Amino acid sequence: MEWLSGFADTLWSTLDDVLPIALVIFGFQLFVLRRPVPNLRRVLTGFFYVLLGLTLFLQGLEQALFPLGRLMAEQLTNPAFILEGARQLTAAVHWSEYYWVFIFAFAIGFSTTVAEPSLIAVAIKAHKVSGGAIGVWGLRIAVAIGVAFGIALGAWRIVTGYPLQYFIISGYVFVIIQTYFAPRMIVPLAYDSGGVTTSTVTVPLVAALGLGLAESVPGRSPLLDGFGLIAFASLFPIISVMAYAQISEFRARHGVRDK
Amino acid sequence: MWHAFLALGRSLLDSLRDLAPIIIVIAFFQLAVLQQPIPDLAGLLGGTLLVALGLTFFIYGLDMGLFPIGESMAQAFAQKGSVFWLLVFAFTLGFSTTIAEPALIAVADEAAEIAAEGGMIETGNESMERYAFGLRLTVALSVGLAIVIGVLRILKGWPIHYLIIGGYLGIVIMTGFAPETIIGIAYDSGGVTTSTITVPLVTALGVGLASSIRGRNPMVDGFGLIAFASLTPMIFVMAYGMII
């Protein structure tokens, strides 16, 4: 019974998400374009599937993976767990004692990005538009590696307490320089991949990790230092996707082929 | 009928494969690092199956509904030839999908708490609510504007990197002037604006527009709308922090 009411809640909030979009689309279609929607039945069925799919997806995450993931983030950042590694109670714990946190940040960043529905959507589109030059899996793995690095580095920043803007601004400078060397075709897609990575799956788990870290590291305020992980997660995929294209181009030019 | 089931089974397997990394990571950390049993194994497996089923339906619906409607509207607007209505559509789409975004609502509420604690606004429910709503409105406006700029770029064929680099410079300059407390929220707000339904729709719109305008390459010109939508909120949120 509890499950059913949870399902109804999720369905309701997904409907909240879909409704404004549907209103805008059908409103413009009727009053501005003034033409019937081609394959209306098929499109409506598609919308229904999207709604049903997202509801089941979120419901499943909320029921199984999120509680465990959040609990894990809390436990890993708990001083008791970290100090056990340090073996003694000194006032300042060196950042390297947090190694499990960084490994967890990397692993959870990678694995949640691979399952991110909006990234799958963009990868399917990019694969079709590029005539197969961009692989669905290649793009997803490239983005996932970027997010993994971004979140691990972001966790390191929270532990060490360096100002966020230094990292983000140096990241931008790097992206600008890299843009000039990357194949022109990949640049817009790479910029896009920064924004698509962080949605339904990644954000809740990453937010829990950031909050847990900011609460447990001495001298950090959860309100101020808990932010910033998402910024890292949207910056690094830009770099890794451009690098993916650069590596593919380099391999193609030098005649290295997959078997 | 048999074919449909076979196809469904195959995409269900694909979805399970997509989810495998998360399950491996969680199981490894739970069993090997934290050395604790998995609390509710049946619930975990059931939930995972729901997630896989959901992902399968989502991708089906994507191909049937979201992608085709995005592209057919892009073509219809291109044929109609009214730039004005296209831009109005772009703005409305960006604004309406962002204002109700749950992730944004959560971030805005947290931001209001920080602002109240930092003494930037009065502590009290009313002023905090006003601050949070103002922030949401700001982000939604900025996303609407972003889609408009992105669509204009596709129409005119402007190279994307000049615009994005210009945006980055804007962010760097604003960072120097914005209050310290808003910077983290501003940087994060870029990532939370684009939801799972908006992304495929906006991507299909961009690619559809670039394919139906002569001289545009869907790969070079079609992508990039999301990039603008994650850039402008950072600038606007910092500006909001400076004004309030």
PDB file of all heavy atoms in Angstrom, chain A residues 18 21 24 29 32 46 53 72 75 125 134 140 185 188 192 195 198 200 223 228 231, chain B residues 18 30 34 36 54 71 73 80 97 114 117 188 191 194 196-197 219-220 224 226-227:
ATOM      1  N   VAL A  18       5.999  17.156 -16.943  1.00  0.00           N
ATOM      2  CA  VAL A  18       5.646  16.971 -18.352  1.00  0.00           C
ATOM      3  C   VAL A  18       4.595  17.976 -18.806  1.00  0.00           C
ATOM      4  O   VAL A  18       4.612  18.462 -19.930  1.00  0.00           O
ATOM      5  CB  VAL A  18       5.138  15.529 -18.600  1.00  0.00           C
ATOM      6  CG1 VAL A  18       4.688  15.354 -20.038  1.00  0.00           C
ATOM      7  CG2 VAL A  18       6.213  14.524 -18.269  1.00  0.00           C
ATOM      8  N   ILE A  21       5.450  21.356 -20.491  1.00  0.00           N
ATOM      9  CA  ILE A  21       6.053  21.124 -21.804  1.00  0.00           C
ATOM     10  C   ILE A  21       4.982  20.759 -22.817  1.00  0.00           C
ATOM     11  O   ILE A  21       4.934  21.291 -23.925  1.00  0.00           O
ATOM     12  CB  ILE A  21       7.115  20.007 -21.708  1.00  0.00           C
ATOM     13  CG1 ILE A  21       8.206  20.452 -20.733  1.00  0.00           C
ATOM     14  CG2 ILE A  21       7.686  19.680 -23.061  1.00  0.00           C
ATOM     15  CD1 ILE A  21       9.251  19.434 -20.484  1.00  0.00           C
ATOM     16  N   VAL A  24       2.940  23.854 -23.775  1.00  0.00           N
ATOM     17  CA  VAL A  24       3.648  24.746 -24.691  1.00  0.00           C
ATOM     18  C   VAL A  24       3.636  24.164 -26.097  1.00  0.00           C
ATOM     19  O   VAL A  24       3.289  24.837 -27.072  1.00  0.00           O
ATOM     20  CB  VAL A  24       5.098  24.983 -24.209  1.00  0.00           C
ATOM     21  CG1 VAL A  24       5.902  25.696 -25.281  1.00  0.00           C
ATOM     22  CG2 VAL A  24       5.101  25.786 -22.926  1.00  0.00           C
ATOM     23  N   GLN A  29       1.428  24.453 -31.415  1.00  0.00           N
ATOM     24  CA  GLN A  29       1.019  23.674 -32.578  1.00  0.00           C
ATOM     25  C   GLN A  29      -0.374  24.098 -33.048  1.00  0.00           C
ATOM     26  O   GLN A  29      -0.615  24.279 -34.229  1.00  0.00           O
ATOM     27  CB  GLN A  29       1.021  22.187 -32.204  1.00  0.00           C
ATOM     28  CG  GLN A  29       0.931  21.246 -33.372  1.00  0.00           C
ATOM     29  CD  GLN A  29       2.279  21.037 -34.048  1.00  0.00           C
ATOM     30  OE1 GLN A  29       3.302  20.986 -33.392  1.00  0.00           O
ATOM     31  NE2 GLN A  29       2.275  20.931 -35.356  1.00  0.00           N
ATOM     32  N   VAL A  32      -0.333  28.755 -33.174  1.00  0.00           N
ATOM     33  CA  VAL A  32       0.646  29.483 -33.971  1.00  0.00           C
ATOM     34  C   VAL A  32       0.916  28.761 -35.287  1.00  0.00           C
ATOM     35  O   VAL A  32       0.796  29.344 -36.364  1.00  0.00           O
ATOM     36  CB  VAL A  32       1.957  29.682 -33.181  1.00  0.00           C
ATOM     37  CG1 VAL A  32       2.971  30.402 -34.037  1.00  0.00           C
ATOM     38  CG2 VAL A  32       1.681  30.458 -31.908  1.00  0.00           C
ATOM     39  N   GLY A  46       3.885   8.037 -27.275  1.00  0.00           N
ATOM     40  CA  GLY A  46       5.267   8.278 -26.879  1.00  0.00           C
ATOM     41  C   GLY A  46       5.351   9.077 -25.597  1.00  0.00           C
ATOM     42  O   GLY A  46       6.111   8.739 -24.683  1.00  0.00           O
ATOM     43  N   GLY A  53       7.701   5.704 -18.041  1.00  0.00           N
ATOM     44  CA  GLY A  53       9.090   5.298 -17.867  1.00  0.00           C
ATOM     45  C   GLY A  53       9.777   6.092 -16.773  1.00  0.00           C
ATOM     46  O   GLY A  53      10.393   5.527 -15.873  1.00  0.00           O
ATOM     47  N   MET A  72      25.372   5.529   2.422  1.00  0.00           N
ATOM     48  CA  MET A  72      26.774   5.249   2.173  1.00  0.00           C
ATOM     49  C   MET A  72      27.607   6.522   2.181  1.00  0.00           C
ATOM     50  O   MET A  72      28.687   6.563   2.768  1.00  0.00           O
ATOM     51  CB  MET A  72      26.850   4.606   0.802  1.00  0.00           C
ATOM     52  CG  MET A  72      27.868   3.558   0.693  1.00  0.00           C
ATOM     53  SD  MET A  72      27.568   2.734  -0.843  1.00  0.00           S
ATOM     54  CE  MET A  72      26.766   1.306  -0.251  1.00  0.00           C
ATOM     55  N   GLN A  75      28.036   7.508   5.740  1.00  0.00           N
ATOM     56  CA  GLN A  75      28.948   6.658   6.490  1.00  0.00           C
ATOM     57  C   GLN A  75      30.395   6.866   6.085  1.00  0.00           C
ATOM     58  O   GLN A  75      31.286   6.875   6.926  1.00  0.00           O
ATOM     59  CB  GLN A  75      28.562   5.185   6.295  1.00  0.00           C
ATOM     60  CG  GLN A  75      27.315   4.823   7.073  1.00  0.00           C
ATOM     61  CD  GLN A  75      26.850   3.418   6.765  1.00  0.00           C
ATOM     62  OE1 GLN A  75      27.102   2.898   5.683  1.00  0.00           O
ATOM     63  NE2 GLN A  75      26.170   2.807   7.698  1.00  0.00           N
ATOM     64  N   LYS A 125      20.921  10.613 -30.286  1.00  0.00           N
ATOM     65  CA  LYS A 125      20.776  11.660 -31.312  1.00  0.00           C
ATOM     66  C   LYS A 125      22.123  11.932 -32.004  1.00  0.00           C
ATOM     67  O   LYS A 125      22.187  12.023 -33.228  1.00  0.00           O
ATOM     68  CB  LYS A 125      20.280  12.941 -30.628  1.00  0.00           C
ATOM     69  CG  LYS A 125      19.646  13.924 -31.559  1.00  0.00           C
ATOM     70  CD  LYS A 125      18.184  13.650 -31.710  1.00  0.00           C
ATOM     71  CE  LYS A 125      17.745  13.896 -33.127  1.00  0.00           C
ATOM     72  NZ  LYS A 125      16.403  13.416 -33.360  1.00  0.00           N
ATOM     73  N   ILE A 134      30.113   9.139 -34.158  1.00  0.00           N
ATOM     74  CA  ILE A 134      30.188   9.211 -32.705  1.00  0.00           C
ATOM     75  C   ILE A 134      29.428   8.021 -32.130  1.00  0.00           C
ATOM     76  O   ILE A 134      28.228   7.883 -32.387  1.00  0.00           O
ATOM     77  CB  ILE A 134      29.596  10.533 -32.199  1.00  0.00           C
ATOM     78  CG1 ILE A 134      30.513  11.670 -32.631  1.00  0.00           C
ATOM     79  CG2 ILE A 134      29.434  10.528 -30.686  1.00  0.00           C
ATOM     80  CD1 ILE A 134      29.916  13.012 -32.447  1.00  0.00           C
ATOM     81  N   ARG A 140      29.071   8.165 -24.098  1.00  0.00           N
ATOM     82  CA  ARG A 140      28.624   8.010 -22.709  1.00  0.00           C
ATOM     83  C   ARG A 140      29.796   7.735 -21.776  1.00  0.00           C
ATOM     84  O   ARG A 140      29.857   8.278 -20.674  1.00  0.00           O
ATOM     85  CB  ARG A 140      27.592   6.885 -22.623  1.00  0.00           C
ATOM     86  CG  ARG A 140      26.230   7.337 -23.121  1.00  0.00           C
ATOM     87  CD  ARG A 140      25.301   6.184 -23.328  1.00  0.00           C
ATOM     88  NE  ARG A 140      24.902   5.581 -22.068  1.00  0.00           N
ATOM     89  CZ  ARG A 140      24.202   4.451 -21.984  1.00  0.00           C
ATOM     90  NH1 ARG A 140      23.851   3.823 -23.091  1.00  0.00           N
ATOM     91  NH2 ARG A 140      23.868   3.971 -20.829  1.00  0.00           N
ATOM     92  N   MET A 185      33.688  19.674 -35.306  1.00  0.00           N
ATOM     93  CA  MET A 185      32.403  18.997 -35.258  1.00  0.00           C
ATOM     94  C   MET A 185      31.974  18.661 -33.820  1.00  0.00           C
ATOM     95  O   MET A 185      30.799  18.637 -33.497  1.00  0.00           O
ATOM     96  CB  MET A 185      32.542  17.706 -36.060  1.00  0.00           C
ATOM     97  CG  MET A 185      31.286  16.941 -36.265  1.00  0.00           C
ATOM     98  SD  MET A 185      31.653  15.391 -37.110  1.00  0.00           S
ATOM     99  CE  MET A 185      32.041  14.336 -35.743  1.00  0.00           C
ATOM    100  N   PRO A 188      30.245  21.790 -30.271  1.00  0.00           N
ATOM    101  CA  PRO A 188      28.915  22.048 -29.684  1.00  0.00           C
ATOM    102  C   PRO A 188      28.421  20.884 -28.812  1.00  0.00           C
ATOM    103  O   PRO A 188      27.864  21.108 -27.739  1.00  0.00           O
ATOM    104  CB  PRO A 188      28.014  22.201 -30.910  1.00  0.00           C
ATOM    105  CG  PRO A 188      28.926  22.500 -32.035  1.00  0.00           C
ATOM    106  CD  PRO A 188      30.226  21.818 -31.731  1.00  0.00           C
ATOM    107  N   ASP A 192      27.476  20.907 -24.842  1.00  0.00           N
ATOM    108  CA  ASP A 192      26.174  20.413 -24.394  1.00  0.00           C
ATOM    109  C   ASP A 192      26.310  19.373 -23.293  1.00  0.00           C
ATOM    110  O   ASP A 192      25.517  19.333 -22.358  1.00  0.00           O
ATOM    111  CB  ASP A 192      25.424  19.760 -25.562  1.00  0.00           C
ATOM    112  CG  ASP A 192      24.464  20.719 -26.211  1.00  0.00           C
ATOM    113  OD1 ASP A 192      24.436  21.881 -25.781  1.00  0.00           O
ATOM    114  OD2 ASP A 192      23.749  20.317 -27.131  1.00  0.00           O
ATOM    115  N   GLY A 195      25.910  20.118 -19.651  1.00  0.00           N
ATOM    116  CA  GLY A 195      24.600  20.362 -19.054  1.00  0.00           C
ATOM    117  C   GLY A 195      23.742  19.125 -18.907  1.00  0.00           C
ATOM    118  O   GLY A 195      22.873  19.075 -18.046  1.00  0.00           O
ATOM    119  N   THR A 198      24.084  16.140 -15.472  1.00  0.00           N
ATOM    120  CA  THR A 198      23.615  16.209 -14.102  1.00  0.00           C
ATOM    121  C   THR A 198      22.112  16.330 -14.091  1.00  0.00           C
ATOM    122  O   THR A 198      21.580  17.414 -14.200  1.00  0.00           O
ATOM    123  CB  THR A 198      24.230  17.419 -13.416  1.00  0.00           C
ATOM    124  OG1 THR A 198      24.149  18.518 -14.323  1.00  0.00           O
ATOM    125  CG2 THR A 198      25.665  17.165 -13.078  1.00  0.00           C
ATOM    126  N   THR A 200      18.497  13.504 -13.187  1.00  0.00           N
ATOM    127  CA  THR A 200      17.785  12.652 -12.222  1.00  0.00           C
ATOM    128  C   THR A 200      18.619  11.727 -11.344  1.00  0.00           C
ATOM    129  O   THR A 200      18.341  11.593 -10.180  1.00  0.00           O
ATOM    130  CB  THR A 200      16.780  11.766 -12.960  1.00  0.00           C
ATOM    131  OG1 THR A 200      17.115  11.787 -14.326  1.00  0.00           O
ATOM    132  CG2 THR A 200      15.399  12.278 -12.790  1.00  0.00           C
ATOM    133  N   LEU A 223      26.333  24.733   4.567  1.00  0.00           N
ATOM    134  CA  LEU A 223      25.588  25.666   3.724  1.00  0.00           C
ATOM    135  C   LEU A 223      26.472  26.253   2.634  1.00  0.00           C
ATOM    136  O   LEU A 223      26.042  26.449   1.510  1.00  0.00           O
ATOM    137  CB  LEU A 223      25.003  26.787   4.584  1.00  0.00           C
ATOM    138  CG  LEU A 223      23.711  26.419   5.299  1.00  0.00           C
ATOM    139  CD1 LEU A 223      23.221  27.575   6.121  1.00  0.00           C
ATOM    140  CD2 LEU A 223      22.646  26.016   4.297  1.00  0.00           C
ATOM    141  N   GLY A 228      28.859  23.183  -5.223  1.00  0.00           N
ATOM    142  CA  GLY A 228      30.027  23.186  -6.091  1.00  0.00           C
ATOM    143  C   GLY A 228      30.299  21.861  -6.786  1.00  0.00           C
ATOM    144  O   GLY A 228      30.941  21.848  -7.829  1.00  0.00           O
ATOM    145  N   ALA A 231      28.803  21.817 -10.209  1.00  0.00           N
ATOM    146  CA  ALA A 231      29.566  22.655 -11.130  1.00  0.00           C
ATOM    147  C   ALA A 231      30.758  21.878 -11.687  1.00  0.00           C
ATOM    148  O   ALA A 231      31.038  21.929 -12.888  1.00  0.00           O
ATOM    149  CB  ALA A 231      30.033  23.924 -10.419  1.00  0.00           C
TER     150      ALA A 231
ATOM    151  N   ASP B  18      22.967  -0.941 -18.386  1.00  0.00           N
ATOM    152  CA  ASP B  18      23.243   0.461 -18.031  1.00  0.00           C
ATOM    153  C   ASP B  18      23.314   0.651 -16.529  1.00  0.00           C
ATOM    154  O   ASP B  18      24.013   1.516 -16.024  1.00  0.00           O
ATOM    155  CB  ASP B  18      22.142   1.383 -18.579  1.00  0.00           C
ATOM    156  CG  ASP B  18      22.155   1.434 -20.089  1.00  0.00           C
ATOM    157  OD1 ASP B  18      23.195   1.081 -20.677  1.00  0.00           O
ATOM    158  OD2 ASP B  18      21.131   1.817 -20.671  1.00  0.00           O
ATOM    159  N   GLN B  30      29.422  -1.294   0.072  1.00  0.00           N
ATOM    160  CA  GLN B  30      28.678  -1.789   1.223  1.00  0.00           C
ATOM    161  C   GLN B  30      29.351  -3.024   1.825  1.00  0.00           C
ATOM    162  O   GLN B  30      29.534  -3.115   3.029  1.00  0.00           O
ATOM    163  CB  GLN B  30      27.238  -2.126   0.800  1.00  0.00           C
ATOM    164  CG  GLN B  30      26.313  -2.458   1.932  1.00  0.00           C
ATOM    165  CD  GLN B  30      25.870  -1.230   2.707  1.00  0.00           C
ATOM    166  OE1 GLN B  30      26.284  -0.116   2.422  1.00  0.00           O
ATOM    167  NE2 GLN B  30      25.046  -1.428   3.712  1.00  0.00           N
ATOM    168  N   LEU B  34      32.622  -0.724   3.713  1.00  0.00           N
ATOM    169  CA  LEU B  34      31.931  -0.467   4.978  1.00  0.00           C
ATOM    170  C   LEU B  34      31.698  -1.761   5.760  1.00  0.00           C
ATOM    171  O   LEU B  34      31.412  -1.729   6.949  1.00  0.00           O
ATOM    172  CB  LEU B  34      30.586   0.227   4.711  1.00  0.00           C
ATOM    173  CG  LEU B  34      30.717   1.631   4.132  1.00  0.00           C
ATOM    174  CD1 LEU B  34      29.388   2.103   3.560  1.00  0.00           C
ATOM    175  CD2 LEU B  34      31.188   2.613   5.184  1.00  0.00           C
ATOM    176  N   GLN B  36      29.285  -4.056   5.721  1.00  0.00           N
ATOM    177  CA  GLN B  36      27.957  -4.218   6.307  1.00  0.00           C
ATOM    178  C   GLN B  36      27.095  -5.016   5.339  1.00  0.00           C
ATOM    179  O   GLN B  36      27.337  -4.970   4.135  1.00  0.00           O
ATOM    180  CB  GLN B  36      27.318  -2.845   6.547  1.00  0.00           C
ATOM    181  CG  GLN B  36      27.782  -2.244   7.854  1.00  0.00           C
ATOM    182  CD  GLN B  36      27.554  -0.756   7.891  1.00  0.00           C
ATOM    183  OE1 GLN B  36      26.929  -0.202   7.009  1.00  0.00           O
ATOM    184  NE2 GLN B  36      28.084  -0.131   8.912  1.00  0.00           N
ATOM    185  N   GLY B  54      11.647   1.265 -16.263  1.00  0.00           N
ATOM    186  CA  GLY B  54      11.393   2.681 -16.509  1.00  0.00           C
ATOM    187  C   GLY B  54      12.284   3.227 -17.607  1.00  0.00           C
ATOM    188  O   GLY B  54      11.826   3.935 -18.505  1.00  0.00           O
ATOM    189  N   GLU B  71      11.384  17.619 -33.715  1.00  0.00           N
ATOM    190  CA  GLU B  71      11.861  17.839 -35.079  1.00  0.00           C
ATOM    191  C   GLU B  71      10.773  18.362 -35.985  1.00  0.00           C
ATOM    192  O   GLU B  71      11.008  19.249 -36.806  1.00  0.00           O
ATOM    193  CB  GLU B  71      12.448  16.543 -35.646  1.00  0.00           C
ATOM    194  CG  GLU B  71      13.886  16.412 -35.229  1.00  0.00           C
ATOM    195  CD  GLU B  71      14.531  15.112 -35.663  1.00  0.00           C
ATOM    196  OE1 GLU B  71      14.129  14.568 -36.709  1.00  0.00           O
ATOM    197  OE2 GLU B  71      15.428  14.663 -34.946  1.00  0.00           O
ATOM    198  N   MET B  73       8.218  20.144 -35.181  1.00  0.00           N
ATOM    199  CA  MET B  73       7.940  21.555 -34.886  1.00  0.00           C
ATOM    200  C   MET B  73       9.031  22.441 -35.450  1.00  0.00           C
ATOM    201  O   MET B  73       8.760  23.523 -35.970  1.00  0.00           O
ATOM    202  CB  MET B  73       7.798  21.768 -33.390  1.00  0.00           C
ATOM    203  CG  MET B  73       6.490  21.220 -32.866  1.00  0.00           C
ATOM    204  SD  MET B  73       6.132  21.770 -31.216  1.00  0.00           S
ATOM    205  CE  MET B  73       5.344  23.337 -31.526  1.00  0.00           C
ATOM    206  N   LYS B  80       7.258  27.973 -41.949  1.00  0.00           N
ATOM    207  CA  LYS B  80       6.413  29.134 -41.700  1.00  0.00           C
ATOM    208  C   LYS B  80       7.226  30.403 -41.895  1.00  0.00           C
ATOM    209  O   LYS B  80       6.702  31.413 -42.359  1.00  0.00           O
ATOM    210  CB  LYS B  80       5.868  29.049 -40.271  1.00  0.00           C
ATOM    211  CG  LYS B  80       4.753  30.032 -39.946  1.00  0.00           C
ATOM    212  CD  LYS B  80       4.280  29.792 -38.508  1.00  0.00           C
ATOM    213  CE  LYS B  80       3.538  30.973 -37.940  1.00  0.00           C
ATOM    214  NZ  LYS B  80       2.182  31.122 -38.490  1.00  0.00           N
ATOM    215  N   THR B  97       9.713  25.165 -18.776  1.00  0.00           N
ATOM    216  CA  THR B  97      10.250  23.903 -18.276  1.00  0.00           C
ATOM    217  C   THR B  97      11.153  24.113 -17.076  1.00  0.00           C
ATOM    218  O   THR B  97      11.401  23.196 -16.316  1.00  0.00           O
ATOM    219  CB  THR B  97      11.054  23.153 -19.353  1.00  0.00           C
ATOM    220  OG1 THR B  97      12.076  24.006 -19.828  1.00  0.00           O
ATOM    221  CG2 THR B  97      10.176  22.710 -20.478  1.00  0.00           C
ATOM    222  N   ILE B 114      20.768  30.196   3.079  1.00  0.00           N
ATOM    223  CA  ILE B 114      22.119  30.763   3.182  1.00  0.00           C
ATOM    224  C   ILE B 114      22.059  32.276   3.273  1.00  0.00           C
ATOM    225  O   ILE B 114      22.735  32.898   4.089  1.00  0.00           O
ATOM    226  CB  ILE B 114      22.962  30.362   1.961  1.00  0.00           C
ATOM    227  CG1 ILE B 114      23.171  28.862   1.966  1.00  0.00           C
ATOM    228  CG2 ILE B 114      24.303  31.075   1.967  1.00  0.00           C
ATOM    229  CD1 ILE B 114      23.955  28.371   0.790  1.00  0.00           C
ATOM    230  N   GLU B 117      20.929  33.356   6.631  1.00  0.00           N
ATOM    231  CA  GLU B 117      21.939  33.139   7.647  1.00  0.00           C
ATOM    232  C   GLU B 117      23.080  34.142   7.512  1.00  0.00           C
ATOM    233  O   GLU B 117      23.653  34.587   8.501  1.00  0.00           O
ATOM    234  CB  GLU B 117      22.490  31.717   7.531  1.00  0.00           C
ATOM    235  CG  GLU B 117      22.939  31.154   8.845  1.00  0.00           C
ATOM    236  CD  GLU B 117      22.917  29.636   8.800  1.00  0.00           C
ATOM    237  OE1 GLU B 117      21.839  29.054   8.963  1.00  0.00           O
ATOM    238  OE2 GLU B 117      23.985  29.075   8.578  1.00  0.00           O
ATOM    239  N   ASP B 188      26.423  25.983  -9.415  1.00  0.00           N
ATOM    240  CA  ASP B 188      25.620  24.762  -9.448  1.00  0.00           C
ATOM    241  C   ASP B 188      24.336  24.938 -10.252  1.00  0.00           C
ATOM    242  O   ASP B 188      23.843  23.997 -10.848  1.00  0.00           O
ATOM    243  CB  ASP B 188      25.254  24.320  -8.026  1.00  0.00           C
ATOM    244  CG  ASP B 188      26.323  23.407  -7.450  1.00  0.00           C
ATOM    245  OD1 ASP B 188      27.352  23.222  -8.119  1.00  0.00           O
ATOM    246  OD2 ASP B 188      26.141  22.885  -6.342  1.00  0.00           O
ATOM    247  N   GLY B 191      23.962  23.567 -13.731  1.00  0.00           N
ATOM    248  CA  GLY B 191      23.795  22.127 -13.949  1.00  0.00           C
ATOM    249  C   GLY B 191      22.413  21.602 -13.666  1.00  0.00           C
ATOM    250  O   GLY B 191      22.023  20.578 -14.214  1.00  0.00           O
ATOM    251  N   THR B 194      18.459  21.767 -16.530  1.00  0.00           N
ATOM    252  CA  THR B 194      17.968  21.024 -17.675  1.00  0.00           C
ATOM    253  C   THR B 194      17.505  19.636 -17.254  1.00  0.00           C
ATOM    254  O   THR B 194      18.294  18.795 -16.894  1.00  0.00           O
ATOM    255  CB  THR B 194      19.086  20.890 -18.718  1.00  0.00           C
ATOM    256  OG1 THR B 194      20.296  20.617 -18.021  1.00  0.00           O
ATOM    257  CG2 THR B 194      19.232  22.152 -19.501  1.00  0.00           C
ATOM    258  N   THR B 196      15.275  15.902 -17.507  1.00  0.00           N
ATOM    259  CA  THR B 196      15.345  14.734 -18.383  1.00  0.00           C
ATOM    260  C   THR B 196      14.404  14.841 -19.573  1.00  0.00           C
ATOM    261  O   THR B 196      14.631  14.226 -20.596  1.00  0.00           O
ATOM    262  CB  THR B 196      14.996  13.483 -17.566  1.00  0.00           C
ATOM    263  OG1 THR B 196      15.726  13.552 -16.352  1.00  0.00           O
ATOM    264  CG2 THR B 196      15.373  12.226 -18.283  1.00  0.00           C
ATOM    265  N   ILE B 197      13.320  15.604 -19.437  1.00  0.00           N
ATOM    266  CA  ILE B 197      12.401  15.738 -20.562  1.00  0.00           C
ATOM    267  C   ILE B 197      12.814  16.891 -21.461  1.00  0.00           C
ATOM    268  O   ILE B 197      12.690  16.829 -22.676  1.00  0.00           O
ATOM    269  CB  ILE B 197      10.958  15.938 -20.063  1.00  0.00           C
ATOM    270  CG1 ILE B 197      10.600  14.759 -19.169  1.00  0.00           C
ATOM    271  CG2 ILE B 197       9.995  16.027 -21.213  1.00  0.00           C
ATOM    272  CD1 ILE B 197       9.377  14.984 -18.358  1.00  0.00           C
ATOM    273  N   MET B 219      25.241  18.655 -37.137  1.00  0.00           N
ATOM    274  CA  MET B 219      26.223  18.323 -36.098  1.00  0.00           C
ATOM    275  C   MET B 219      26.858  19.598 -35.530  1.00  0.00           C
ATOM    276  O   MET B 219      26.950  19.792 -34.321  1.00  0.00           O
ATOM    277  CB  MET B 219      27.295  17.419 -36.727  1.00  0.00           C
ATOM    278  CG  MET B 219      28.135  16.656 -35.748  1.00  0.00           C
ATOM    279  SD  MET B 219      27.200  15.476 -34.795  1.00  0.00           S
ATOM    280  CE  MET B 219      28.120  15.507 -33.290  1.00  0.00           C
ATOM    281  N   VAL B 220      27.285  20.487 -36.422  1.00  0.00           N
ATOM    282  CA  VAL B 220      28.008  21.691 -35.978  1.00  0.00           C
ATOM    283  C   VAL B 220      27.031  22.737 -35.442  1.00  0.00           C
ATOM    284  O   VAL B 220      27.321  23.431 -34.464  1.00  0.00           O
ATOM    285  CB  VAL B 220      28.837  22.274 -37.144  1.00  0.00           C
ATOM    286  CG1 VAL B 220      29.484  23.582 -36.744  1.00  0.00           C
ATOM    287  CG2 VAL B 220      29.907  21.276 -37.574  1.00  0.00           C
ATOM    288  N   GLY B 224      24.201  22.431 -28.976  1.00  0.00           N
ATOM    289  CA  GLY B 224      24.658  23.671 -28.349  1.00  0.00           C
ATOM    290  C   GLY B 224      23.595  24.409 -27.563  1.00  0.00           C
ATOM    291  O   GLY B 224      23.908  25.284 -26.779  1.00  0.00           O
ATOM    292  N   ILE B 226      21.665  23.287 -25.152  1.00  0.00           N
ATOM    293  CA  ILE B 226      21.795  22.944 -23.728  1.00  0.00           C
ATOM    294  C   ILE B 226      22.959  23.719 -23.104  1.00  0.00           C
ATOM    295  O   ILE B 226      22.894  24.136 -21.950  1.00  0.00           O
ATOM    296  CB  ILE B 226      22.049  21.437 -23.554  1.00  0.00           C
ATOM    297  CG1 ILE B 226      21.039  20.620 -24.330  1.00  0.00           C
ATOM    298  CG2 ILE B 226      22.068  21.048 -22.082  1.00  0.00           C
ATOM    299  CD1 ILE B 226      19.718  20.508 -23.698  1.00  0.00           C
ATOM    300  N   ALA B 227      24.017  23.867 -23.909  1.00  0.00           N
ATOM    301  CA  ALA B 227      25.194  24.575 -23.404  1.00  0.00           C
ATOM    302  C   ALA B 227      24.813  25.989 -22.968  1.00  0.00           C
ATOM    303  O   ALA B 227      25.210  26.449 -21.894  1.00  0.00           O
ATOM    304  CB  ALA B 227      26.282  24.623 -24.475  1.00  0.00           C
TER     305      ALA B 227
END
